[in-house]
Amino acid sequence: MPISTMKAAVWHARHDVRVEDVPLPPAPPAGWVKIRVAWCGICGSDLHEYVAGPVFIPVGHPNPLTGRQSPLVLGHEFSGEIAELGADVTGLAVGDRVTADACQHCGKCYYCRHGMYNICEKLAFTGLMNDGAFASYVNVPAELVYKLPANVPLDAAALVEPLSVGMHAIKQAGSILGDTVVVVGAGTIGLCTIICARAAGAGRVIALETAAARKDKARAVGATLVLDPKTSDVVAEIRKLTGGYGADVSFECIGSKNTAKLAFDVIRGAGRAVLVGVFSEPSTFNFLEIVATEKRIIGSLAYNGEFADVIAMLADGRIDVAPLITGRIGLKDIISGGFEELVHNKDQNVKIIVQPEPVA
Ligand SMILES: [Zn+2]
Ligand SMILES: [Zn+2]
């Protein structure tokens, strides 16, 4: 009898993610591949959907590219092996070890045609606007799939996605060579941004973080100084370290209006603040502060094309993600050992990666 179902973590509503039996993805259409998932990381945005969603998941209005809406299988930070090829797929073979960019896009709009597919007007993020990889199998467009060199293990490869977010954020800032850089928040994206800032030649990397475990991680991945906004006046501290002016560049990696203001306040005049966090509420802000200081505020969403560069840097050892993986669980434990664990013990965790169940 053919096996027709697999276990998947399906978002139904806020606080209602169910590990349930769902149909296996169909044979991949032309230009798509089916991937047998090895590992899939729990992202801050997955947690956001669990705790406060829907944030990005379409409810009542299907995504214009995929036609899909809730309920959807979550998960977009994944690695695995090609299980099946759709028609017209070249350069990939069954059994290839891979990871995949999650930005499914139309290829036709202004942004897609100008190298900014991450802000495609029909953007359909894997695991938020189409079925994702907290499942045994996932179908994705072949153009988003990247082969892994033999020396990049599948668990580390699940971190290529958040590392690409960090690398894209650095690129949004422009050159940071020699600069004093402040990274606000040392969760996964903050830590990935620290790693990429070091790789990009930042002079000093100052992490702002309150949780002890994350402070240690920040130091482990290359922060030159860690300051705690709860116990010190970090704006004054950073001014003291920079001749009274402030940092050249900051990266907000939390998504809170208060830490966004902090990211703005810690930079010097004409400095750059890159906002990477996902915000869920508006803020009041006097735009005169921008006019009067010529500070620049820059948004950074996901990535566009950074996967290959991140994989190359993992392969040659320039970047190391091992310190970021703090937990490994099976899919059946994703609620208690994943989402609830991250809600209640955020301070002890960075990246929890999830192994789906094999389909017999
Ligand atoms: Zn993510
Ligand atoms: Zn587009």
Side-chain angles (χ1 to χ4, degrees):
M1 221 180 75
I3 303 288
S4 56
T5 64
M6 61 178 181
K7 291 275 187 223
V10 182
W11 190 94
H12 288 266
R14 182 182 308 174
H15 289 296
D16 184 11
V17 174
R18 303 176 204 162
V19 177
E20 56 192 17
D21 291 306
V22 301
L24 286 173
W32 286 56
V33 298
K34 183 184 291 182
I35 296 173
R36 184 186 310 110
V37 180
W39 291 100
C40 184
I42 301 177
C43 177
S45 60
D46 299 322
L47 196 61
H48 229 69
E49 297 291 353
Y50 178 72
V51 173
V55 179
F56 291 116
I57 293 176
V59 176
H61 53 92
N63 175 271
L65 187 64
T66 62
R68 296 294 310 279
Q69 60 173 314
S70 162
L72 284 165
V73 179
L74 289 170
H76 59 269
E77 303 182 353
F78 67 102
S79 62
E81 283 183 7
I82 304 261
E84 195 178 340
L85 300 175
D88 309 324
V89 173
T90 54
L92 293 170
V94 170
D96 280 349
R97 300 161 67 259
V98 296
T99 183
D101 178 319
C103 295
Q104 298 181 29
H105 56 282
C106 79
K108 298 186 181 94
C109 72
Y110 174 90
Y111 306 105
C112 284
R113 287 186 289 108
H114 290 79
M116 298 179 278
Y117 67 81
N118 58 321
I119 53 170
C120 169
E121 59 183 11
K122 293 182 177 176
L123 185 70
F125 213 73
T126 303
L128 291 172
M129 298 135 189
N130 204 353
D131 281 330
F134 287 133
S136 309
Y137 291 90
V138 62
N139 280 354
V140 295
E143 64 173 342
L144 298 179
V145 172
Y146 292 82
K147 281 202 254 189
L148 298 167
N151 69 340
V152 175
L154 287 168
D155 54 357
L159 278 293
V160 170
E161 198 269 354
L163 280 164
S164 297
V165 174
M167 187 181 281
H168 185 67
I170 302 292
K171 287 189 180 179
Q172 289 293 93
S175 172
I176 57 165
L177 187 62
D179 282 353
T180 294
V181 169
V182 173
V183 176
V184 185
T188 301
I189 295 301
L191 294 167
C192 287
T193 302
I194 293 169
I195 291 170
C196 291
R198 290 300 304 258
R204 277 186 293 200
V205 181
I206 302 167
L208 306 187
E209 175 58 54
T210 57
R214 292 176 176 210
K215 289 177 186 172
D216 292 341
K217 293 285 180 193
R219 289 184 198 99
V221 301
T224 44
L225 180 66
V226 179
L227 298 174
D228 186 337
K230 271 202 179 133
T231 57
S232 68
D233 180 347
V234 296
V235 174
E237 289 282 321
I238 290 165
R239 286 219 177 110
K240 217 182 291 169
L241 292 165
T242 51
Y245 292 104
D248 301 293
V249 188
S250 68
F251 296 89
E252 201 281 348
C253 301
I254 295 174
S256 138
K257 58 186 176 185
N258 298 326
T259 47
K261 184 63 166 58
L262 186 58
F264 185 85
D265 289 341
V266 296
I267 57 172
R268 60 167 166 76
R272 295 152 283 166
V274 181
L275 305 186
V276 193
V278 174
F279 296 84
S280 47
E281 54 176 0
S283 143
T284 54
F285 180 78
N286 187 342
F287 287 90
L288 178 63
E289 291 197 46
I290 299 179
V291 175
T293 61
E294 295 199 345
K295 292 183 183 182
R296 282 177 280 163
I297 298 181
I298 301 163
S300 186
L301 181 71
Y303 31 77
N304 55 24
E306 281 85 2
F307 267 57
D309 300 330
V310 165
I311 291 168
M313 292 174 82
L314 277 173
D316 72 13
R318 263 179 295 169
I319 55 181
D320 176 19
V321 285
L324 272 54
I325 300 174
T326 54
R328 294 161 195 268
I329 59 172
L331 184 70
K332 65 176 171 25
D333 299 321
I334 194 169
I335 308 299
S336 60
F339 295 124
E340 289 294 329
E341 170 68 18
L342 287 166
V343 168
H344 297 294
N345 298 309
K346 209 164 189 170
D347 294 0
Q348 280 115 64
N349 291 289
V350 179
K351 182 57 68 187
I352 296 176
I353 58 174
V354 179
Q355 191 166 41
E357 295 188 10
V359 172

